[in-house]
Amino acid sequence: MTKIDLGILVTLIVVLVTGILMMPAEECSGDAMAVRVETVHLLKEGKLGVPEEIATKYWGDKGMFFCKNEVTGKWFPKYGVINSLIYVPALRLEQLLEGKLEYPISPLRLLLLNIHNIVLSLMCAALFYLTVRLFTQSQTVACIYVLSIIYMTFCWYYFRAQIFEIHALLFLSGAFYSAFRGRRELLIQGISVIAGSVRAWILACALFLGVLILSKTLYVVLLPAFFAFFFLSLKEANNRVRLIGLAWFCIPVGLLCTILLALNHFKFGSIYNTGYSQWVAESKPLSGDVIKGMWGYIFDGQWGVLSCFPIIMIAFFYWRRFYNMNRIEAVMILSTAAIILAINSCFINWRGTWCYGPRYLLPILSLVGMPAIYLLEDVSSIKKQWARIASVLGLLFFGISLIAIQSFVIRLPFYTWYQLDAIVAKQYSSKTARYMFETPYWLINRDIVAMQTGGNSALSELLKSELPRDQKQRAEELIFTLKPNYYWFR
């Protein structure tokens, strides 16, 4: 890289300005709101856990959000402790500014959570950019690719939603960048010794993986892939150098895994209890249909990668080139993606629901789509000016179309589809069901916006012909009361 990388500055400025202008006007409820109950309790009482009266009164069935330690009788969120700790700065600032800290949402908390997401978005964008720059010399290509995967895919939704998918995205991106950077430093420094810079990057990778596992235990399945990556990177080194290099990875990972087991015992009464067994509806979380899950993750119109992360279709045609140029890194990305896809396809609730798109795959998709940078490089190297201009205009049209699609998703409240589904669910005909479950979210949102502005849409026709009068009235009341989900523009 050059001493001053203008590409990363442009990238971060765009992400910062967009993040500020497009801040959501509502808090995205659900899992992350539950962990913030623990954050509040930690700041007020100085200890982990949640009050029993809150866990049992307001948050559904036992195990749905909070689990009970049957030995101590205490209640804890079933999610990783890092998700509670990461909100400490934002909620501590609220406590200082307001002089108190309560469990319900407040206008100040919404603003602080939005700022929290903007900061994490900037960190994610920086890691995306730095990772891409390891594989391209062009700052422009790296900048365009990073902005594309953020704003032309469902990633934009999770940069705004105050939920902890963005945490997993940050930690896994950090682990990959550190691993790839460590390998580059190893190639530069040589394999006769483990230089300080190499040890630092291996340690950074281990720490990122550690906090990733402490945010969601499931990611422990990725440890063998990262170990194999460093083992293959050091295979030409002598035994002493290889042992030292692997020790810098294994020791911190081992310590963090020990912390995880201790936390499981403290929170759930057993080192083997991860907190996902008390909710009756999902007491066997990995008992789902793996084939159905894989098919849905790839091809489903609402939940599939092809629908929500279309850049991956471009990347598909360039993966062979990427593999030929970066074999170990390519195998690492694909093997990790395969593990994440396979394990989440086994999940009984593979969709994740109450979200947008395949959120469980989000942390790896920016890397799976990375070979698309070669399309940008090919276009920039076209010698004939007219052909280059035509190609650029074509890509520009494609990009603007994808941004417009995502803008319909972020325009309305986070759970608009679920609100509408709750009204029409009892009146499903085959036509209604096809519309609700096969039409992409952005198209349903576009139909809603069209109705709000007096236009015709497939949804308006459906309401007229399919629903009884009372159901139609309730649906229209919902549609016409929905406000834009923008903090500054409502």
Side-chain angles (χ1 to χ4, degrees):
M1 294 186 198
T2 57
K3 188 174 182 180
I4 299 177
D5 195 323
L6 295 179
I8 194 170
L9 292 179
V10 172
T11 301
L12 295 180
I13 288 172
V14 172
V15 172
L16 175 62
V17 172
T18 306
I20 293 173
L21 292 177
M22 298 294 180
M23 285 195 305
E26 64 174 9
E27 181 184 9
C28 191
S29 59
D31 299 349
M33 189 178 286
V35 302
R36 288 193 287 271
V37 173
E38 182 174 48
T39 309
V40 171
H41 188 69
L42 176 63
L43 289 171
K44 293 179 69 174
E45 306 295 334
K47 53 188 177 182
L48 294 173
V50 297
E52 182 177 0
E53 61 271 18
I54 292 179
T56 56
K57 185 176 181 180
Y58 302 106
W59 291 90
D61 298 334
K62 178 182 178 182
M64 188 173 181
F65 293 98
F66 300 108
C67 293
K68 182 180 181 181
N69 185 321
E70 301 294 352
V71 177
T72 64
K74 296 180 179 179
W75 290 80
F76 298 89
K78 67 179 182 181
Y79 314 99
V81 69
I82 288 295
N83 297 306
S84 299
L85 298 179
I86 202 170
Y87 288 112
V88 166
L91 270 62
R92 175 57 176 160
L93 184 56
E94 177 188 348
Q95 190 177 39
L96 291 174
L97 292 175
E98 292 202 334
K100 60 180 181 178
L101 191 62
E102 302 299 335
Y103 294 106
I105 185 66
S106 68
L108 177 59
R109 185 177 303 173
L110 174 61
L111 176 61
L112 293 175
L113 291 176
N114 284 337
I115 294 172
H116 168 92
N117 261 48
I118 290 172
V119 172
L120 296 190
S121 298
L122 290 169
M123 296 170 69
C124 287
L127 286 169
F128 292 166
Y129 183 90
L130 293 172
T131 302
V132 175
R133 287 287 277 125
L134 294 175
F135 301 95
T136 180
Q137 296 181 358
S138 172
Q139 299 178 20
T140 303
V141 166
C143 177
I144 293 174
Y145 176 73
V146 171
L147 295 178
S148 296
I149 62 170
I150 295 173
Y151 299 113
M152 297 180 193
T153 76
F154 76 131
C155 184
W156 194 1
Y157 179 96
Y158 292 99
F159 269 30
R160 299 175 74 247
Q162 311 93 347
I163 51 182
F164 39 70
E165 268 65 35
I166 194 172
H167 304 162
L169 179 61
L170 173 65
F171 301 147
L172 188 59
S173 298
F176 267 101
Y177 174 67
S178 301
F180 291 165
R181 184 63 186 275
R183 174 171 166 77
R184 295 298 174 92
E185 290 292 325
L186 183 65
L187 295 175
I188 294 171
Q189 301 289 342
I191 59 175
S192 58
V193 295
I194 294 290
S197 58
V198 176
R199 294 196 300 269
W201 287 115
I202 294 175
L203 176 62
C205 177
L207 294 178
F208 272 117
L209 285 173
V211 293
L212 176 66
I213 293 167
L214 290 174
S215 70
K216 189 172 183 178
T217 307
L218 185 67
Y219 285 110
V220 73
V221 299
L222 301 184
L223 294 181
F226 279 88
F227 177 85
F229 175 82
F230 287 117
F231 184 85
L232 291 174
S233 298
L234 291 163
K235 69 176 182 178
E236 301 298 332
N238 60 54
N239 290 336
R240 179 178 176 276
V241 170
R242 187 185 304 114
L243 183 62
I244 293 173
L246 294 177
W248 277 89
F249 176 79
C250 293
I251 292 175
V253 165
L255 290 174
L256 288 164
C257 286
T258 302
I259 292 173
L260 172 64
L261 295 176
L263 284 169
N264 284 345
H265 185 271
F266 171 70
K267 293 173 64 175
F268 310 121
S270 169
I271 62 173
Y272 305 111
N273 190 337
T274 63
Y276 281 80
S277 60
Q278 289 191 7
W279 188 22
V280 175
E282 295 182 2
S283 59
K284 297 179 180 179
L286 297 180
S287 60
D289 185 335
V290 63
I291 302 300
K292 182 179 179 180
M294 285 189 175
W295 180 268
Y297 272 137
I298 298 173
F299 298 109
D300 190 274
Q302 290 185 339
W303 303 92
V305 169
L306 298 182
S307 174
C308 299
F309 202 94
I311 290 173
I312 209 166
M313 291 185 285
I314 298 173
F316 175 80
F317 295 100
Y318 288 92
W319 255 102
R320 182 176 180 181
R321 187 197 299 189
F322 186 81
Y323 173 79
N324 289 334
M325 298 176 66
N326 311 278
R327 293 203 172 190
I328 292 182
E329 289 87 348
V331 171
M332 177 62 182
I333 293 171
L334 291 177
S335 61
T336 303
I339 293 170
I340 292 176
L341 174 62
I343 196 72
N344 283 295
S345 295
C346 294
F347 191 39
I348 191 172
N349 181 20
W350 63 269
R351 290 181 176 87
T353 60
W354 289 91
C355 65
Y356 166 48
R359 62 187 174 109
Y360 296 144
L361 304 187
L362 176 65
I364 194 64
L365 290 178
S366 64
L367 290 158
V368 177
M370 193 161 55
I373 61 176
Y374 294 135
L375 172 64
L376 300 175
E377 290 184 346
D378 288 349
V379 169
S380 65
S381 63
I382 295 175
K383 294 182 179 180
K384 293 183 179 180
Q385 186 176 12
W386 67 266
R388 185 169 63 252
I389 292 174
S391 299
V392 169
L393 290 176
L395 289 177
L396 188 62
F397 176 79
F398 178 69
I400 291 174
S401 300
L402 293 182
I403 292 173
I405 285 174
Q406 298 305 321
S407 70
F408 280 112
V409 176
I410 70 167
R411 174 177 177 137
L412 296 179
F414 291 116
Y415 297 138
T416 295
W417 185 94
Y418 295 93
Q419 293 175 283
L420 181 61
D421 180 65
I423 295 174
V424 305
K426 294 182 180 180
Q427 299 298 328
Y428 278 151
S429 67
S430 59
K431 187 175 181 180
T432 306
R434 282 198 302 273
Y435 178 83
M436 290 301 297
F437 290 98
E438 296 178 9
T439 306
Y441 278 12
W442 71 268
L443 193 52
I444 293 177
N445 277 20
R446 192 191 70 173
D447 285 353
I448 291 173
V449 172
M451 286 187 63
Q452 290 178 333
T453 55
N456 292 323
S457 68
L459 177 59
S460 61
E461 295 300 320
L462 189 69
L463 295 182
K464 292 177 183 178
S465 61
E466 294 285 313
L467 268 64
R469 181 176 179 181
D470 61 328
Q471 229 77 16
K472 175 178 177 291
Q473 184 177 354
R474 288 176 57 202
E476 289 179 344
E477 287 176 356
L478 168 68
I479 288 168
F480 288 105
T481 55
L482 291 173
K483 295 181 179 179
N485 190 18
Y486 301 127
Y487 190 88
W488 308 107
F489 317 105
R490 297 211 82 183

